[in-house]
Amino acid sequence: MKKPDQRAFEADVEDADFQIGVVKGMWDLADTALLPDRLVWPQVVLWVAAAERPNSPDRFYLLLNLENYRSAAPTSAFLNAHKKEPLAPGQWPKGKSGSRVAKVFRTDWKNCVALYHPYDRVATSDHRQWLTEQPHLIWDSKHTIVDYLNEIHGLLNSGDYTGA
């Protein structure tokens, strides 16, 4: 029997907002052949399209932990889906110095176990000040996976994204 958080996520993936992103080539669930062995809920792998940059992939894979999805923020890190292991820090997306892209995808924090973003539960747990400094980016139960993916897609397709 599926848990309520898994049912909520699956409903959001079937929803028009998620499917519009799929049709536009912005994101999708990873192909089952690329999933790590023994992947079980609350872990999910999604990919997000990235702007074309020299020597960089056209998409990045995220391994998400969606425990208590919707009521609790997701947490994620990049995955080398072809090797089925965490993406090496040197292969994470990069951004112009001082940019939001560089800050969110930083590799000098927490050994690359999470994105440095207020939507991410690991980052927010270490930065309670974000609740007042960036309240519009704090996850709450009204957010869906589409909000998370829109944020990541926006960063990977901004002028500040410089490639991997």
Side-chain angles (χ1 to χ4, degrees), residues 79-129:
L79 177 73
N80 181 329
H82 300 285
K83 292 184 177 180
K84 300 180 182 186
E85 62 187 30
L87 189 64
Q91 296 175 324
W92 274 44
K94 295 170 185 58
K96 293 178 182 174
S97 180
S99 71
R100 221 169 141 249
V101 174
K103 290 175 186 173
V104 171
F105 302 142
R106 61 189 286 190
T107 58
D108 64 342
W109 177 78
K110 292 265 188 193
N111 295 318
C112 299
V113 299
L115 305 184
Y116 193 76
H117 190 285
Y119 273 171
D120 191 284
R121 92 172 68 138
V122 171
T124 302
S125 69
D126 284 358
H127 298 85
R128 303 310 293 168
Q129 72 275 16

Side-chain angles (χ1 to χ4, degrees), residues 17-28:
D17 288 339
F18 184 89
Q19 291 301 316
I20 288 168
V22 171
V23 169
K24 289 183 175 181
M26 296 167 64
W27 55 67
D28 201 354

Side-chain angles (χ1 to χ4, degrees), residues 2 46 54 95 131:
K2 294 180 181 177
L46 298 164
L131 296 170

